Amino acid sequence: MPIPEEVTGFEIDGAVRQELMSLPKTLADDVARNLVMVAQLIDEDPEKAYGYAKVALRLASRVGAVREAAGFASYATQRYDEALKEFRTARRMSGSVELWPVIADCERGLGRPEKALEMAGAPEVQKLDKAGQVEMRLVAAGARRDLGQLDAAIVTLQSPELASNGVHPWTARLRYAYADALLAADRTEEAREWFAKAVESDKDGTTDASDRLAELDGVEFTDAYEEEEAEAGEEPGAAEHLTAEDAEPKDVRPEGARGVDDGREARQDD
């Protein structure tokens, strides 16, 4: 697959670059450039990112970072069986528990929420850092929702991290997941409160909490281009109004399977 000339491979994380030093230099450079493309494309064009990940995997399947990248690319394109295989292999290579939450979320993606819940209660969870434990909580709550246990999902999300006034990288996603669960339980006023809290903590726009909040408040989004056409006396298109729900970006994972983000955000179901 073609790679732009300006991509050198040195854009990748230093720890990954260190792993690649076990390869011949030319091969290491080729693998690094493919990994850069995976990182750059995984959000905007996950299928293309998956293609670059497969190239890197073909070149260096014995490098843990490559297996991990292939796992995330598979995960982003809903290839949960492949993702599970790659994540498990990467975990064996590294000996780290860091991938435990996303492995559990793959089990959800494969329709095995009971397995995800089993993993949520495993000793490995205690070895995760705070961010990892929050991710595991999100996955567990999603698994409860998969099983139709909405009240249990809400209770699972109730935690010191949720109650904290501090803002961390996972705060907006946790608040969003809690708001969405409350809304699913028809606890609309509480849901509105937590969507508002999610907006306050979501400085980078990783969730669509502002759209969800606007939708609850009955705010209607109008297409600016069609509005100009109408003012000019032209007939606007059929899609005259765009609701917050229509504007919401579609998640690549099945309903509820959004506990981890691979950098992606939490989304509506957890």
Side-chain angles (χ1 to χ4, degrees), residues 37-173:
M37 297 304 296
V38 174
Q40 289 182 353
L41 294 169
I42 197 164
D43 289 327
E44 63 184 58
D45 193 342
E47 279 294 338
K48 188 172 287 188
Y50 175 78
Y52 284 105
K54 296 298 282 187
V55 173
L57 189 61
R58 187 172 67 248
L59 294 173
S61 62
R62 295 185 179 182
V63 176
V66 172
R67 303 305 288 257
E68 185 174 328
F72 278 111
S74 299
Y75 181 74
T77 56
Q78 303 184 46
R79 294 175 171 92
Y80 298 109
D81 51 348
E82 289 187 38
L84 191 59
K85 173 187 173 184
E86 298 303 339
F87 286 142
R88 283 174 172 169
T89 301
R91 181 171 177 266
R92 284 196 300 270
M93 288 178 167
S94 68
S96 171
V97 297
E98 183 180 349
L99 293 172
W100 195 255
V102 75
I103 290 173
D105 209 34
C106 285
E107 295 287 0
R108 290 185 57 214
L110 291 168
R112 299 193 288 258
E114 296 90 347
K115 178 62 177 177
L117 287 174
E118 180 184 327
M119 293 182 66
E124 284 82 354
V125 175
Q126 302 307 314
K127 300 175 183 177
L128 295 168
D129 61 14
K130 180 61 68 177
Q133 290 180 6
V134 171
E135 293 294 347
M136 197 69 242
R137 187 176 293 276
L138 288 166
V139 172
R144 291 293 184 189
R145 293 187 65 170
D146 294 343
L147 294 168
Q149 300 170 2
L150 187 53
D151 289 341
I154 291 171
V155 171
T156 298
L157 292 168
Q158 293 170 345
S159 61
E161 293 81 18
L162 179 68
S164 172
N165 291 323
V167 175
H168 305 277
W170 36 261
T171 300
R173 298 179 54 234

Side-chain angles (χ1 to χ4, degrees), residues 21-44:
M21 288 181 66
S22 62
L23 304 173
K25 185 180 185 307
T26 301
L27 179 58
D29 290 343
D30 288 343
V31 173
R33 295 180 73 216
N34 277 280
L35 292 181
V36 171
M37 297 304 296
V38 174
Q40 289 182 353
L41 294 169
I42 197 164
D43 289 327
E44 63 184 58

Side-chain angles (χ1 to χ4, degrees), residues 6 16 57-58 63 75 92 119 121 123 145 150 160 183 190 207 218-219 229-230 234 250 259:
E6 62 268 22
V16 176
L57 189 61
R58 187 172 67 248
V63 176
Y75 181 74
R92 284 196 300 270
M119 293 182 66
R145 293 187 65 170
L150 187 53
L183 187 61
E190 293 174 84
T207 75
V219 176
E229 284 185 334
E234 298 179 24
K250 303 303 179 184

